Amino acid sequence: MTNGALHRVAEPSPADEQRRLAAVRRYRVLDTPPEGAFDTVTSLAARIFGTPMAAVAIVDADRVWFKATHGLGGITQIGREPGLCASPFLHDAPCVVPDALGDPRTAAHPLVRGEPGIRFHAAAPITTARGECLGTVNVLDTRPRQVTDDQMAALVDLASLVMDELEVRLSAVRTIAAERAQRTTAERLARALQRALLPPALPAVPGLDTAAAYHPASVDEVGGDFYDLFPLDDGRWAFFLGDVCGKGADAASLTSLTRYTLRAAAIYDPDPCAALANLDTVLKGEHQDGAPRYCTAVFGVLQPVPDGSFTVSLAGGGHPPALALRADGTIELVSTTGGQLIGMLPRPRFVQATTRLLPGEALLLYTDGLTEARTPDGTMLGEDGLVRRLSATTVREADGLLGTVDKLLTDLGTGVGDDTALLALSVPSHRIDPSAQENR
């Protein structure tokens, strides 16, 4: 971290600057409309630092353009004068200016001398995997201040999330372009976009087997179901699964925002109910022309236990209960009944539950496309019907469990009228202290 004034560093060579500008063009972000995912980053950054202003800045050839701002009063771009947002991109590390007015390198900057009178500035670079710096995530204040190492670490994480989102956007554009070049059918395009909205693969979690699947009800329309699994900084793992309202392009946009917001919220506070509350705030800010943007979701945190088991904390917002498949053959509902829709109500209630997965046990999460499917006699499968079907198998491994559900969906055939997302987590079997069962 660079504390105090910005150190003077050499300007990049013309060749390096051309390579950097080519990267900025490659990501196709300049002058694009506002997007909720980046707005979430600025609001979280301001909240973490307790500052009134924050921005996601992209450094162009002769300007600094703001992809997202918080508290900057409609400022969308500034000149590329030395100091503040235009200078930290020259560094390989975050930068801090505790008092911009007292620093000769920033004192003459228009945002310091004029409105809004910046006195404090901290920034973390947005850097590609090739080492090209596209811009910075910034927090600003009108009074001098100091920062903590934890705050700067969070700012670096937020800059990484911005880079991840830019990669997802670029991947989606390239995937769709490649699919269109081969076949322009709606089916191909929908599948390409759907893949871009879901993780390409789940990460490996030590001591846990994982599996996920997405079953579209229509081959030519993008759905709104989503899931994810990712590590937290303290050895725990977070996961979520849910379903946004609607279909098509609007649902795809909302799915991307929802998934990104939950990941970003986990940096600020991984408490399950807090993560859903953050998402609720963001979705309410996305209402356009009176059209609500809402979803159901379950957010969980996995805590490994030394004996090989996992403690699972879940919070639900209007979502079906998770199923815990026990080693003794029983199936328990991990209910978050009472949790309300996210993004819809003035003060929604989110309900938290805790369970424990012992070796030989599994947790299954699903969207309502599964339980609302119709059986051959025309009745809905429902939670009871799902439990009955799963009770007929002793499979507890994540992959095998999803195979069982896949077969169920195939058997239901045309009775499946909605998309279904599935996430299974299982603890491999091994011998365990009997007292662990008593301490579930």
Side-chain angles (χ1 to χ4, degrees):
M1 184 190 307
T2 302
N3 291 309
L6 293 172
H7 297 310
R8 187 178 299 280
V9 296
E11 289 286 335
S13 69
D16 287 342
E17 178 62 0
Q18 287 303 311
R19 184 169 66 92
R20 191 193 70 79
L21 288 173
V24 171
R25 304 292 185 270
R26 185 170 70 245
Y27 285 90
R28 308 181 193 186
V29 64
L30 285 171
D31 300 312
T32 55
E35 296 177 60
F38 299 98
D39 293 338
T40 298
V41 168
T42 57
S43 62
L44 281 172
R47 192 184 311 175
I48 290 169
F49 280 79
T51 59
M53 294 168 283
V56 172
I58 304 297
V59 181
D60 200 359
D62 57 357
R63 61 173 176 156
V64 178
W65 178 77
F66 296 135
K67 174 60 179 173
T69 61
H70 176 88
L72 281 175
I75 298 175
T76 59
Q77 66 180 38
I78 58 175
R80 193 171 151 172
E81 294 91 353
L84 299 187
C85 304
S87 291
F89 84 94
L90 299 173
H91 295 258
D92 293 328
C95 296
V96 180
V97 180
D99 187 352
L101 192 60
D103 189 323
R105 297 166 183 81
T106 57
H109 195 281
L111 293 184
V112 176
R113 285 294 178 186
E115 292 295 328
I118 300 300
R119 294 293 298 276
F120 163 79
H121 173 241
I126 304 166
T127 307
T128 72
R130 303 177 186 177
E132 303 141 337
C133 185
L134 307 181
T136 51
V137 176
N138 310 267
V139 287
L140 310 103
D141 203 346
T142 54
R143 61 182 180 86
R145 62 190 301 154
Q146 299 294 327
V147 299
T148 67
D149 288 342
D150 285 344
Q151 287 174 318
M152 290 307 297
L155 194 64
V156 171
D157 287 340
L158 290 174
S160 295
L161 278 174
V162 169
M163 193 66 248
D164 288 346
E165 179 65 8
L166 292 175
E167 293 287 2
V168 168
R169 292 170 80 257
L170 181 60
S171 175
V173 168
R174 286 176 170 173
T175 300
I176 292 173
E179 293 282 350
R180 184 181 290 118
Q182 296 175 15
R183 294 186 184 180
T184 59
T185 64
E187 176 182 347
R188 287 280 183 171
L189 291 175
R191 287 181 177 178
L193 181 54
Q194 194 75 69
R195 287 197 300 268
L197 295 173
L198 297 171
L202 296 179
V205 180
L208 194 73
D209 292 332
T210 64
Y214 188 89
H215 296 266
S218 171
V219 297
D220 59 1
E221 190 171 39
V222 179
D225 294 17
F226 58 89
Y227 59 82
D228 208 345
L229 171 68
F230 54 97
L232 300 174
D233 289 339
D234 56 4
R236 296 182 298 169
W237 291 77
F239 61 91
F240 55 79
L241 179 140
D243 184 6
V244 306
C245 66
K247 297 283 186 183
D250 288 343
S253 174
L254 187 58
T255 297
S256 178
L257 172 63
T258 298
R259 180 169 170 255
Y260 187 82
T261 298
L262 286 174
R263 287 191 68 126
I267 292 177
Y268 178 68
D269 187 351
D271 174 77
C273 284
L276 296 186
N278 269 297
L279 176 59
D280 178 72
T281 299
V282 170
L283 294 189
K284 286 174 180 172
E286 285 294 302
H287 288 199
Q288 300 173 0
D289 300 326
R293 302 287 188 268
Y294 63 90
C295 71
T296 70
V298 58
F299 185 99
V301 174
L302 290 160
Q303 172 71 61
V305 180
D307 65 10
S309 64
F310 282 81
T311 298
V312 186
S313 297
L314 293 173
H319 200 79
L323 298 182
L325 289 83
R326 301 303 183 190
D328 62 5
T330 60
I331 298 178
E332 298 176 8
L333 297 181
V334 185
S335 178
T336 53
T337 299
Q340 296 173 319
L341 284 174
I342 304 165
M344 175 66 77
L345 303 174
R347 294 184 183 84
R349 177 172 178 254
F350 304 121
V351 175
Q352 188 160 328
T354 301
T355 190
R356 187 173 175 191
L357 290 182
L358 302 178
E361 298 185 339
L363 188 72
L364 175 66
L365 296 95
Y366 53 91
T367 53
D368 60 10
L370 176 58
T371 49
E372 292 182 358
R374 297 285 174 173
T375 61
D377 64 5
T379 60
M380 280 201 312
L381 177 66
E383 293 164 10
D384 292 341
L386 176 59
V387 170
R388 283 196 303 271
R389 300 293 183 101
L390 294 179
S391 295
T393 178
T394 59
V395 174
R396 294 296 183 265
E397 297 80 13
D399 284 331
L401 184 56
L402 285 200
T404 300
V405 179
D406 288 344
K407 184 178 185 307
L408 172 58
L409 289 167
T410 300
D411 291 344
L412 293 173
T414 58
V416 181
D418 197 4
D419 301 338
T420 301
L422 303 167
L423 178 62
L425 313 171
S426 64
V427 183
S429 299
H430 66 261
R431 300 180 70 86
I432 188 171
D433 184 346
S435 63
Q437 180 72 36
E438 300 173 2
N439 297 326
R440 187 191 301 280

